[in-house]
Amino acid sequence: MGRFSKISQDAFNEFQVDAGVLLKTFDVESPELVDENIICATTGGINPVCTASYSDLGEDVDNCPNGTMEMMDLEGWECTLGFTALNTTPEVIRMALGAADIDAASGKITPRRDLEDTDFADIWWVGDRTDGGLVAIRLINALSISGFSLQTTKNGKGQIAVTLAGHVSIEAQDVVPMEFYVQEGTE
């Protein structure tokens, strides 16, 4: 075995395992899973992504090498959470649509032309670690950017593909719309 062909002794304790769960609310200080907070059953895993976008302020400057560290400017972050929902509840369909209203009496979900502040909501993904701890991600001011798409199959389950994007609030313009939490376990 080579000198640099090792794995750290703690690596197996730090793995994130299984698909995790999507939640309406979650308290990192007192982590409990409450059925009423579970948004939906999923298939194919959950895909949180947080990507920075940069511009090179020196790219058009004579004699300045491209990618000069001091000339790089962080323009913003694109934070998304993608998943495939199996539940066809009014809330899941409304979430996939983004701007929509639910008529509780009839179960009718109607897309809306204009956004309302209530269309944005924080969404949590929480997953297990092999040491009994957890990994949690909060997508802030989430809104669907993928629209509604239901795929049915013969002898199978219908699947709703959803991609939510986090959004910066004008009241907190310096807050990146995704937060990450890691809690070590005791096992």
Side-chain angles (χ1 to χ4, degrees):
M1 174 151 75
R3 186 169 61 142
F4 297 103
S5 298
K6 286 186 173 183
I7 189 168
S8 74
Q9 293 178 2
D10 293 329
F12 291 111
N13 294 330
E14 299 165 346
F15 288 0
Q16 188 281 313
V17 293
D18 295 323
V21 64
L22 294 171
L23 302 171
K24 298 173 194 171
T25 62
F26 185 70
D27 184 355
V28 179
E29 300 297 321
S30 178
E32 292 184 31
L33 184 58
V34 179
D35 272 4
E36 293 79 32
N37 284 335
I38 298 174
I39 294 172
C40 61
T42 60
T43 186
I46 299 165
N47 187 25
V49 177
C50 190
T51 306
S53 60
Y54 301 98
S55 61
D56 183 351
L57 300 178
E59 71 181 348
D60 63 345
V61 177
D62 292 342
N63 301 319
C64 181
N66 286 343
T68 300
M69 175 177 70
E70 293 82 1
M71 300 298 274
M72 297 304 292
D73 183 47
L74 176 60
E75 294 177 337
W77 292 88
E78 182 178 345
C79 302
T80 61
L81 186 67
F83 58 94
T84 302
L86 296 173
N87 303 61
T88 54
T89 65
E91 292 80 17
V92 169
I93 294 171
R94 187 209 56 77
M95 178 187 296
L97 289 167
D101 294 313
I102 299 171
D103 181 333
S106 68
K108 178 181 176 184
I109 303 100
T110 307
R112 206 178 330 100
R113 185 184 182 291
D114 297 314
L115 282 173
E116 295 180 1
D117 288 347
T118 55
D119 293 326
F120 297 85
D122 291 358
I123 303 294
W124 287 84
W125 169 82
V126 182
D128 293 307
R129 281 178 32 134
T130 51
D131 66 357
L134 64 88
V135 179
I137 297 174
R138 176 182 168 210
L139 184 63
I140 300 169
N141 300 320
L143 180 72
S144 174
I145 59 170
S146 60
F148 178 82
S149 173
L150 172 66
Q151 178 63 55
T152 64
T153 59
K154 181 179 180 179
N155 300 323
K157 296 177 279 298
Q159 300 180 2
I160 301 173
V162 180
T163 301
L164 305 174
H167 292 81
V168 174
S169 170
I170 200 160
E171 296 172 1
Q173 296 178 32
D174 293 330
V175 175
V176 175
M178 190 174 266
E179 297 174 338
F180 304 85
Y181 302 86
V182 175
Q183 289 185 356
E184 294 181 4
T186 56
E187 293 180 15

